Amino acid sequence: MKKKVRFLLLAAMTLLVLTGCGLKSPDELYQLPRPTPQFESLQGSLDLLLKGGYEYAAPLSGSNTQSVQLQDLDGDGVDEAVAFFRESGAKEHPLKICIFHGDAENGYELAGQIESDGDAINSVAYCQLNDTPTMELVVGWRISGTVYALSAYSLENGNVTQLLSTASYTRYAVTDLDQDDQSEIVSIQMGNVEDGGNVATYYDWSEGTMMEVNSVPLSISVEALDSVSYGSLVDGIPALYVNGFRRENHIYLICDILALRDGALTNITMDPVVGDSDTSHLVQTDIRDINNDLAMEIPIPRPLNSGNNAMDWVQYDLEGNQISACYTIHNTADGWYFVLPDQWLDSLSVVREEANTGSTVERSMTFCCQDSETGEEIPFLAFYKNTGDNRESRATMGERFLLDQDAEATYSAEILAGNETIELTEQDVHARFNLIMNDWSND
């Protein structure tokens, strides 16, 4: 029953926000969900606020960007309605978050209101920060175009309590790092050395509120954040992967890996002497769990004989030790990668080519192995990406075999004669070939 009511409420509220709640003719309303008594009471409360000078101000980012959202904040099994507003003409605290308590019989009534200065609500996250069944709100306020403030609130017995307030942050994460089934907050602040540098601060529940546990430095060579993402170390311990653009060289990112050690946040990849983490990797290659072992890997470039790079996919344990999971050739321009046998690395080189063949564009990459005696580069494996009208036939012409295809391109390979030192089958190539999918990334 609760799911049905929640669905009807969401459907009705979506129509309300998207249409502006204007008057509709009977024909326009035909087949719309029939409003429930709960929705009608909520509708009335929202209308009063809108008539009183409020306007909807949905969060700008994150996964919760609706103007009105349903969440069971007090743990009673009935969803509260959380509405986001800006009060027109207000000189102080123009941003409002109104929380309406849900009652299965009497509908919704205003239970609490959160206010803040600023020009927008940047984001909101719902999480369990303590050992009660309540759900707390973590809110990012945009004070101005470049200044953000972070707060956390709880609703209990009809009262809104502020649990956390920070004057400034650049990015934040809400996640369970200590594996106690309750969330903690990590705030990232980017700054100049004079202002304290780049810092991550860890907050956990203690003494009835969110308390700062400790802060750790981030790489000093990072001047701007790219992403803050959740993953696991090689030993299964949860961690945050903080990617930032390397100062004066935006081709590369540096990743700081944050995890708990003895209850305190630790930058496990930081070199305290250098002031950076030794995790530089190319921007176009994402951190991911490339071998599906549930641990995240960072793609560290390894130069080949041809001047191109292989990717050494490196995992970390809690002590900051590196473990190579695998090596790949990543052809990001053509959207595929190939997992390399380790024994190929010392003698491998690659050659890229592009050709127009009538109505088809063919891009290829050829793998070559260096003869140990003569130094000659011997081609032994070629990959082809074809786009255009004739792509299917070119993918299987001669000794080529199809690897994969999508709506616009075919991907094929050919094992070349001439190299007797490398044993390779079509099954081997199929098993090691993958299309690049953007399946892990960024906050």
Side-chain angles (χ1 to χ4, degrees), residues 374-410:
T374 66
E376 179 185 1
E377 299 288 343
I378 304 174
F380 67 92
L381 178 62
F383 295 92
Y384 307 93
K385 178 181 179 180
N386 279 280
T387 56
D389 297 338
N390 201 29
R391 60 184 181 273
E392 288 88 357
S393 60
R394 289 196 63 84
T396 55
M397 64 182 291
E399 299 299 319
R400 299 181 184 184
F401 50 93
L402 183 67
L403 294 171
D404 211 330
Q405 61 184 329
D406 54 32
E408 297 181 353
T410 59

Side-chain angles (χ1 to χ4, degrees), residues 370-376:
Q370 188 177 58
D371 187 282
S372 59
E373 295 182 359
T374 66
E376 179 185 1

